[in-house]
Amino acid sequence: MRYLIFLALFVSPPLGSILNAAEVCYLSWQNDPTTTMTIRWLTDLKTTSDEIEIKKPQEESWKKVAGTHKALPYDAPHFLHTVEATALEPDTSYQFRLPGETETHLFRTMPATLTKPVRFASGGDAYHDTVEPFEEMCKKIASYSPRFILLGGDIAYSVHTKRSGDDKFDRWFTFLQSWTRCMKDSDGNMIPILTAIGNHEVKGYYNQTPDQAKFYYSFFGPNSYKQLLFGKYLALTILDSNHTHPIAGEQTTWLQQSLRTAYSYPHRFAVYHVPAYPSVRYFRIRESCAIRKHWVPLFERYSVQAVFENHEHAYKRTHPLVKDEEHPDGVVYFGDGSWGVKPRPPKKAWRTSYLAKTESARQFLLVELTNENRTFTATDITGKTIDSYSQKVAPPEKF
Ligand SMILES: [Fe+2]
């Protein structure tokens, strides 16, 4: 018996080391979401081919696009391959095939204009304990066919405690496998992911360097704060709430420049992990104070309309806020990260000056944009609407 256990331990391959490429394959953007698509996939360490084939469904011939691959950190037994398809047409379907595979995958680029409504989903605190609640929520979100998903940190809980500090590859692998399997829209298109970094991606949680979040940076690119511009209609600013870059200083200077750029876009949003306006924890925790001091005045000055926060494991919507107080032209903060977690009891909205609505629920936010309106619908795991909020698009005043 002992011999058999020994044999099973040493003859079994390491987790995920035998896989076909399509088992982990996901989409994101490094550049213009209307004309590019970044495709990433995992293989074993023998597979070095990076060239995908791509075409529109109605075209006969495939076009080859070359990419790169790199080994993952901490001797994880895989290559991560990356291809960026460029010069694509907006709002257009594409098929692609990974090297050596016959299976065809589908995606659709983002539209360049808002002639039709555009819908995306936002959520955070995803694969927390077991994979089932995470996957259940993935399927629920995918059933609304969002054009992309904004995942605001605490993605795979690969670093589970502040002290032990291991960044566990098996958590990332399971997360990516589930994502690959579940995140397809009703037409079969793979749904791209955009992420913000959370404390559970980082050894030490706060005030660290990118070197302490090697898997996160491998899987999602070299920048934990960045801006994506969609056509002429949406400016999305992704920030790092003191996990691998400080809130004040360089990141805040960059934020001011980015929000200046965003100002000519009718829809202006920001996303990050630790909230400025918490629904569960204390108002005075370090990161929340720093965000209110350094970022919130910029959100207000440059008329960001909505901010997506996470980390608290409940639902919240604040009043429109200026200087922490309700104001008709203020910024609305949504949150608070309860994708795959057991929801916590939040503060009561009627007793908390900045909160308009809270609920203890596993939920995500659907955001729908048109030229005239933006609507935010918080939906729980059963598909029930737990909150709905809309704003009219108004031409911004000069700052
Ligand atoms: Fe968190």
Side-chain angles (χ1 to χ4, degrees):
M1 185 63 184
R2 267 195 202 158
Y3 175 73
L4 284 176
I5 293 170
F6 175 86
L7 210 64
L9 281 173
F10 287 92
V11 174
S12 301
L15 180 78
S17 67
I18 293 175
L19 79 170
N20 58 34
E23 207 174 316
V24 171
C25 177
Y26 58 102
L27 307 179
S28 191
W29 290 296
Q30 305 172 85
N31 292 295
D32 184 353
T34 69
T35 59
T36 72
M37 188 63 80
T38 294
I39 302 161
R40 293 191 174 99
W41 70 98
L42 290 180
T43 65
D44 60 31
L45 294 172
K46 290 182 202 131
T47 308
T48 54
S49 174
D50 300 308
E51 197 173 67
I52 66 153
E53 294 180 303
I54 187 166
K55 71 177 184 70
K56 290 187 223 166
Q58 66 274 21
E59 288 173 341
E60 294 248 321
S61 57
W62 294 90
K63 192 179 137 207
K64 292 183 190 306
V65 186
T68 57
H69 65 272
K70 62 181 180 185
L72 289 173
Y74 307 120
D75 297 324
H78 297 286
F79 281 139
L80 176 69
H81 302 255
T82 303
V83 165
E84 186 178 33
T86 58
L88 305 175
E89 288 173 35
D91 203 17
T92 300
S93 291
Y94 287 88
Q95 299 178 324
F96 71 91
R97 291 195 303 218
L98 298 175
E101 306 236 328
T102 50
E103 193 182 345
T104 299
H105 308 278
L106 298 171
F107 69 78
R108 194 168 178 86
T109 52
M110 290 297 291
T113 61
L114 282 180
T115 45
K116 288 177 290 183
V118 163
R119 176 191 284 173
F120 68 92
S122 171
D125 304 73
Y127 169 28
H128 184 260
D129 288 317
T130 58
V131 77
E132 288 80 13
F134 163 66
E135 272 206 16
E136 186 190 21
M137 188 59 105
C138 288
K139 287 174 190 160
K140 180 56 75 180
I141 295 173
S143 73
Y144 291 85
S145 293
R147 297 297 289 262
F148 66 91
I149 292 170
L150 206 49
L151 216 174
D154 288 1
I155 295 165
Y157 287 79
S158 59
V159 180
H160 212 79
T161 60
K162 197 170 179 178
R163 268 194 219 149
S164 93
D166 273 356
D167 195 353
K168 294 193 181 75
F169 175 69
D170 63 327
R171 300 282 308 181
W172 283 112
F173 190 82
T174 304
F175 169 85
L176 292 169
Q177 246 183 342
S178 293
W179 191 271
T180 305
R181 208 166 39 233
C182 301
M183 282 307 186
K184 294 195 176 107
D185 71 13
S186 55
D187 294 324
N189 294 301
M190 295 170 67
I191 304 171
I193 182 175
L194 289 170
T195 61
I197 194 168
N199 52 303
H200 284 282
E201 279 74 71
V202 186
K203 293 181 179 186
Y205 284 6
Y206 297 100
N207 215 13
Q208 302 294 321
T209 63
D211 214 34
Q212 301 305 309
K214 286 184 176 161
F215 279 126
Y216 178 85
Y217 280 92
S218 293
F219 290 129
F220 301 113
N223 302 307
S224 65
Y225 57 94
K226 58 192 165 196
Q227 186 175 56
L228 281 167
L229 303 171
F230 296 69
K232 296 257 183 286
Y233 57 89
L234 168 62
L236 185 60
T237 306
I238 297 174
L239 295 163
D240 177 338
S241 46
N242 193 31
H243 307 293
T244 58
H245 289 283
I247 289 163
E250 233 170 74
Q251 187 175 192
T252 294
T253 305
W254 173 89
L255 175 63
Q256 177 155 15
Q257 287 307 315
S258 301
L259 293 182
R260 273 182 173 271
T261 306
Y263 201 65
S264 61
Y265 287 68
H267 301 285
R268 303 179 291 279
F269 303 145
V271 58
Y272 46 82
H273 187 62
V274 177
Y277 295 98
S279 61
V280 175
R281 292 179 175 89
Y282 296 117
F283 190 65
R284 295 217 166 96
I285 67 166
R286 185 182 56 186
E287 278 70 29
S288 301
C289 290
I291 293 168
R292 291 196 303 273
K293 183 175 173 189
H294 297 285
W295 294 351
V296 164
L298 296 176
F299 298 153
E300 294 169 2
R301 182 174 175 193
Y302 295 101
S303 301
V304 170
Q305 296 112 354
V307 174
F308 309 114
E309 304 187 317
N310 297 279
H311 186 59
E312 299 284 289
H313 303 187
Y315 175 68
K316 74 125 187 264
R317 171 172 54 84
T318 70
H319 296 293
L321 298 173
V322 171
K323 293 186 173 33
D324 303 342
E325 290 186 4
E326 192 172 347
H327 186 287
D329 300 325
V331 184
V332 180
Y333 298 79
F334 293 90
D336 251 347
S338 52
W339 181 306
V341 295
K342 186 168 177 288
R344 294 179 176 135
K347 300 170 203 267
K348 294 195 170 29
W350 60 272
R351 285 173 62 178
T352 314
S353 63
Y354 55 83
L355 290 172
K357 165 94 182 167
T358 58
E359 193 148 328
S360 183
R362 283 178 61 207
Q363 54 74 39
F364 60 98
L365 195 69
L366 283 169
V367 182
E368 191 161 289
L369 309 177
T370 67
N371 283 322
E372 294 78 32
N373 293 292
R374 63 190 78 88
T375 54
F376 305 88
T377 309
T379 306
D380 74 8
I381 186 64
T382 68
K384 191 179 102 189
T385 297
I386 56 173
D387 191 27
S388 180
Y389 184 78
S390 59
Q391 298 170 327
K392 283 212 175 316
V393 173
E397 289 171 22
K398 282 216 172 95
F399 50 83

